[in-house]
Amino acid sequence: MTLLVDTAAELRAALAQRAGRVAVVMTMGALHDGHRSLMAAARGLVGEAGTVVVTVFVNPLQFGPGEDFARYPRTLDADLEVCRGAGVDVVLAPAVEEVYPRPQQVTVDPGPLAAQLEGAVRPGHFGGVLTVVLKLLHLVGPDVAVFGEKDYQQLVLVRGMVADLAVPVEVVGAPTVREPDGLARSSRNRYLSPGERTSALALSRALTAGVRMAATGRESVLTAARAVLDAEPGVALDYLELRDPELGPAPERGPARLLVAARVGATRLIDNVDVLLGGA
Ligand code: PAF
C-alpha cells in the first residue's frame, strides 16, 4: 500500500512505523518511466523489508523569473498511480508553505560548478535545487537517495554537497531512461509538439555521434556531435561540452561526459552520456 502524506509530521509518524533502510527518490512530479527506474533502483537498494519514499514537490526556489514554474505539470493523481504501480511505500507531497513556512533566509551555496553549464543559463537554479534537496534529506532522513544521471550536473552537485557538508546519506546515480528512438525521458517532453519532438531527437543523435568518435579524441567527439545539432534547424543550442566525470576539464584520454542543452521551440532540453576518450 502506498501512503500519501503532505506534512513532515505525518511523514515522521509513517516512518516511525517501519523498520529497515529508507531510500528516497526526489521528484517534481509528472512522473514517467525515468522516475519508475529510480523507484526500482531505490527498492533494489533497500529491499522488500526497507522503505521507499518518493517526494513530489515543484520547488519554486529552483525556477528563475520567466521559467516554467507556473506551467510546470502538476499531476498528483497520475503520479500516485505511478508510485502505487512501483510499490512505493510513502509519497510526501507537501504544499509550498510546508517546505518554506517563512521566506527562505538561509540557502545552500552550491559553489563554482553551479555557475557553469546549466547554471550559466539558469542563474540561481542549483542554489534552489541544493537547498530543497538538503531540506528534504532532513525531513525524510534516508539511508540512501537516488538521483537520475539525466540531470548529471545536479547529481554531481548533490554528491559534492553531501561530501562537503557531511550529510549522512549515500547518493546513488541511476542511468538515463530513453524512448525507443533515443529521446531521454523528461517531464518537459510533454511540452513538445510532434514536429518539435522530431527535432529534439537531434540531442541524443548528437551524443551518439560523439561517442562513436571517442577513440579519435576530444575534438572529433565535439565536431561530430556539433554537426548533428547544426543540421537540425529546430534546435537552438545552449551548450555542447565535454568534461571529466566530476565536470572539470575533459581529459585527453579516459572517462569523460558529453553534455548538451538546447531549446526546441519554447522547451529547454538537456541530455548527456559517458564517453571513454582515446580508446580503452
Ligand atoms: O530533479 C528534480 O526533479 C529536482 O531538481 C529535485 C531534485 C526533485 C529538486 O527539486
Side-chain angles (χ1 to χ4, degrees):
M1 203 195 73
T2 303
L3 181 68
L4 171 65
V5 297
D6 58 13
T7 66
E10 286 175 318
L11 175 68
R12 268 194 297 277
L15 293 179
Q17 307 290 316
R18 306 189 59 92
R21 278 158 54 83
V22 176
V24 68
V25 176
M26 297 180 192
T27 82
M28 298 203 299
L31 302 179
H32 50 69
D33 278 355
H35 297 111
R36 281 192 186 89
S37 80
L38 302 183
M39 295 171 201
R43 175 61 68 199
L45 287 161
V46 296
E48 288 308 318
T51 300
V52 174
V53 178
V54 169
T55 65
V56 176
F57 180 62
V58 185
N59 172 34
L61 239 54
Q62 70 189 73
F63 290 80
E67 287 191 348
D68 57 347
F69 174 68
R71 74 172 182 128
Y72 198 87
R74 287 159 172 87
T75 57
L76 187 57
D77 289 345
D79 293 343
L80 279 175
E81 277 313 303
V82 172
C83 290
R84 284 190 191 107
V88 167
D89 299 296
V90 184
V91 174
L92 171 67
V96 172
E97 301 71 41
E98 178 70 15
V99 179
Y100 302 119
R102 61 173 198 165
Q104 194 77 3
Q105 306 291 313
V106 178
T107 56
V108 175
D109 176 348
L113 174 58
Q116 303 170 28
L117 300 166
E118 281 303 281
V121 185
R122 306 183 68 188
H125 170 66
F126 286 118
V129 170
L130 292 194
T131 299
V132 82
V133 167
L134 187 60
K135 195 148 189 179
L136 291 171
L137 287 173
H138 286 317
L139 294 179
V140 178
D143 299 285
V144 54
V146 183
F147 290 88
E149 289 183 352
K150 159 79 169 39
D151 295 302
Y152 190 78
Q153 189 176 7
Q154 170 174 282
L155 172 62
V156 170
L157 285 165
V158 169
R159 283 193 205 283
M161 174 181 74
V162 162
D164 288 354
L165 300 184
V167 186
V169 68
E170 179 191 356
V171 176
V172 171
T176 301
V177 176
R178 296 180 182 281
E179 307 275 3
D181 57 11
L183 185 68
R185 292 272 180 156
S186 163
S187 303
R188 292 190 167 97
N189 289 351
R190 67 185 69 197
Y191 298 153
L192 299 169
S193 69
E196 289 169 347
R197 196 189 171 290
T198 303
S199 298
L201 292 175
L203 274 73
S204 54
R205 273 208 318 273
L207 297 180
T208 307
V211 170
R212 278 202 204 103
M213 300 306 289
T216 330
R218 291 185 301 205
E219 283 316 310
S220 317
V221 168
L222 288 169
T223 304
R226 186 174 287 276
V228 174
L229 294 162
D230 287 349
E232 177 48 68
V235 168
L237 185 62
D238 274 340
Y239 60 80
L240 172 72
E241 290 209 27
L242 199 50
R243 297 281 185 109
D244 78 8
E246 301 308 314
L247 299 180
E252 290 276 350
R253 298 173 68 84
R257 205 87 196 175
L258 181 61
L259 305 105
V260 65
R263 274 160 293 115
V264 180
T267 307
R268 196 154 177 289
L269 298 174
I270 57 174
D271 201 352
N272 70 87
V273 73
D274 62 345
V275 188
L276 188 59
L277 289 171

